[in-house]
Amino acid sequence: MSDRANRLPDADEIAAINARHFADTPLRPADLLFVFGTRVDEELRAETAARLWQQGYFRHAIVSGGVTPGAELSECTLIKAAMVRRGVPAERILEEHRAMNTGENVQFALPVIDAALGLANVRSLICLGNSWTARRYAMTVHRHWPEVEKMLLTVDGFGVPRHVWHTHPEFRRRVLREWDKIEPYKAKGFIAEWP
């Protein structure tokens, strides 16, 4: 963990992060829910996906995430099972079990989506992931699949309002670590500017 992620941001950096990094969008029904794997808050992620399903926000979902160090099951397996327990039909959930990072989530999921649904048939998607990673999910999708309309919904279990993320030490560390990745990742071509 870098010391930089442990810094105390000033008011200007907090304002910039609040304005540009946390990029939840208005939601409308989409063709696909893209659930990014996680090692934390799996149940919250699944609960949110199930709520979106019950409210009619997607017709199909894909869960992407591999087996992380020390785990026996893939992130995909755990999250999909939790979604099914909450009422999302298993046959509506596509699976990707190899990805170990956000770039791989998208790169490995695209052929799965294409085989099952046809990429051209998916015109809109909702990205669901951690609040601290924020717009990097949609920026990664935009880099590899610019044609699809992207919406973003992020969740976290920190128990503090998102606009005061900087007051919670672990939330602050995670946000700053992700915020610091944006420009280097754009420069390397891992992500593309969005929105």
Side-chain angles (χ1 to χ4, degrees):
M1 166 184 20
S2 78
D3 288 335
R4 187 162 162 70
N6 290 318
R7 70 189 181 275
L8 291 175
D10 63 20
D12 289 342
E13 187 174 31
I14 292 167
I17 290 170
N18 286 342
R20 298 203 320 264
H21 190 61
F22 297 126
D24 283 359
T25 62
L27 297 184
R28 62 175 188 72
D31 297 319
L32 182 69
L33 176 68
F34 196 124
V35 183
F36 287 80
T38 184
R39 282 171 241 134
V40 295
D41 293 338
E42 300 97 331
E43 295 294 326
L44 175 60
R45 185 91 35 110
E47 178 183 306
T48 304
R51 180 175 43 80
L52 292 173
W53 170 259
Q54 290 154 6
Q55 294 172 348
Y57 276 101
F58 64 93
R59 295 199 307 259
H60 294 92
I62 184 161
V63 181
S64 174
V67 179
T68 55
E72 293 183 15
L73 299 173
S74 70
E75 294 170 341
C76 175
T77 298
L78 296 170
I79 295 169
K80 178 178 178 174
M83 288 170 64
V84 171
R85 282 195 308 275
R86 289 171 169 82
V88 182
E91 66 274 11
R92 294 292 184 142
I93 306 171
L94 307 175
E95 302 175 30
E96 188 291 305
H97 294 275
R98 297 182 303 140
M100 298 303 288
N101 59 54
T102 307
E104 289 182 354
N105 286 136
V106 176
Q107 291 171 313
F108 296 167
L110 287 177
V112 176
I113 297 165
D114 197 26
L117 306 174
L119 291 178
N121 296 320
V122 179
R123 293 178 302 283
S124 58
L125 66 79
I126 298 168
C127 300
L128 175 60
N130 300 320
S131 63
W132 56 88
T133 306
R135 70 182 176 131
R136 194 162 62 78
Y137 294 116
M139 294 175 83
T140 305
V141 174
H142 196 63
R143 160 67 179 82
H144 298 281
W145 194 10
E147 306 81 16
V148 74
E149 178 195 349
K150 289 154 278 290
M151 292 169 273
L152 177 64
L153 177 63
T154 60
V155 296
D156 65 72
F158 287 114
V160 298
R162 189 172 309 161
H163 70 278
V164 294
W165 57 270
H166 54 281
T167 65
H168 186 289
E170 181 59 16
F171 200 177
R172 179 175 64 236
R173 187 186 67 78
R174 289 184 190 201
V175 168
L176 292 174
R177 192 175 67 204
E178 290 295 330
W179 171 249
D180 289 344
K181 290 178 182 178
I182 297 291
E183 291 308 318
Y185 278 24
K186 280 198 303 194
K188 292 176 180 173
F190 295 164
I191 59 177
E193 190 59 48
W194 178 90

